[in-house]
């Protein structure tokens, strides 16, 4: 199946999309079925739907990838992944904060408290490398994430 885009011939706005083997404009009623008003064009394989724009060249409408939209799309994907990482990290921080309360209520040794403090800081620092180089988010597999080792509870 291919992604087919419905493009307004005048404004060149991509108004909708559907999945089909090939453009099938004749199966549409209303304005979308009128070839004078709308074109049904196949999305090229190398173009992300979120980055596609329609352009007109000598009365032919084509779909291309907009570089600004592509940068915006990649940035959104990276930020989404970083937010997922933060969410998982925050759950671990909740747990470590519980341990810190236990540590200070029960008499943990200074070394154990330092280990706990270092673990908490390692959790806080885990997103820093990704913020400094957002392209590293592209290969981030949250299921395979290597987390700092949690200190054992005494």
């Amino acid at each position: 199946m291919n992604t087919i885009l419905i493009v307004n011939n005048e404004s060149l706005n991509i108004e909708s999309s559907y999945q089909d083997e090939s453009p099938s404009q004749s199966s549409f009623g209303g304005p979308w079925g009128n070839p004078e008003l709308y074109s049904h064009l196949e999305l090229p394989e190398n173009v992300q739907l979120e980055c596609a724009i329609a352009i007109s060249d000598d009365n032919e409408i084509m779909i291309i990838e907009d570089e600004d939209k592509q940068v915006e799309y990649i940035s959104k994907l990276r930020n989404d992944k970083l937010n997922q990482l933060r969410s998982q990290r925050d759950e671990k921080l909740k747990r470590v904060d519980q341990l810190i309360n236990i540590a200070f209520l029960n008499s943990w040794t200074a070394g154990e408290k330092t280990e706990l403090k270092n673990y908490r800081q390692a959790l806080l620092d885990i997103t820093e490398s990704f913020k400094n180089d957002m392209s590293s988010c592209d290969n981030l597999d949250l299921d395979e994430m290597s987390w700092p080792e949690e200190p054992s509870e005494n």
Side-chain angles (χ1 to χ4, degrees):
M1 288 294 221
N2 298 311
T3 299
I4 311 300
L5 305 178
I6 301 175
V7 179
N8 182 303
N9 292 341
E10 187 175 316
S11 68
L12 298 178
N13 287 335
I14 297 171
E15 301 210 356
S16 191
S17 65
Y18 59 94
Q19 298 293 314
D20 207 338
E21 294 296 322
S22 62
S24 58
Q25 188 163 6
S26 60
S27 65
F28 282 81
W32 284 357
N34 184 340
E36 292 180 20
L37 299 175
Y38 289 91
S39 295
H40 291 229
L41 304 168
E42 189 173 321
L43 180 69
E45 283 186 28
N46 61 338
V47 176
Q48 292 284 337
L49 177 60
E50 296 80 3
C51 305
I53 61 169
I55 62 169
S56 180
D57 182 29
D58 296 331
N59 294 330
E60 180 183 2
I61 297 175
M62 298 176 289
I63 301 296
I64 64 168
E65 189 163 62
D66 182 285
E67 289 183 21
D68 291 337
K69 282 187 172 184
Q70 183 182 29
V71 168
E72 185 180 308
Y73 176 69
I74 290 171
S75 178
K76 181 188 178 316
L77 288 177
R78 290 173 177 169
N79 282 321
D80 288 350
K81 194 167 274 193
L82 197 52
N83 286 336
Q84 289 174 339
L85 176 64
R86 283 188 187 106
S87 178
Q88 289 181 12
R89 182 219 38 210
D90 291 349
E91 288 302 311
K92 292 179 181 297
L93 282 170
K94 287 178 188 175
R95 173 71 182 138
V96 77
D97 288 344
Q98 291 171 345
L99 288 175
I100 288 171
N101 288 334
I102 293 169
F104 287 98
L105 291 175
N106 299 337
S107 52
W108 281 27
T109 67
E112 291 168 332
K113 291 175 184 177
T114 299
E115 185 181 341
L116 194 56
K117 179 182 155 216
N118 291 342
Y119 170 69
R120 188 175 197 288
Q121 188 60 51
L123 288 173
L124 290 170
D125 293 342
I126 206 156
T127 57
E128 288 304 311
S129 64
F130 298 108
K131 286 196 293 191
N132 295 333
D133 178 15
M134 287 297 284
S135 66
S136 60
C137 288
D138 297 344
N139 299 320
L140 176 61
D141 182 351
L142 295 172
D143 294 330
E144 299 294 322
M145 183 69 191
S146 177
W147 293 96
E149 187 174 334
E150 182 178 329
S152 60
E153 186 178 335
N154 288 343

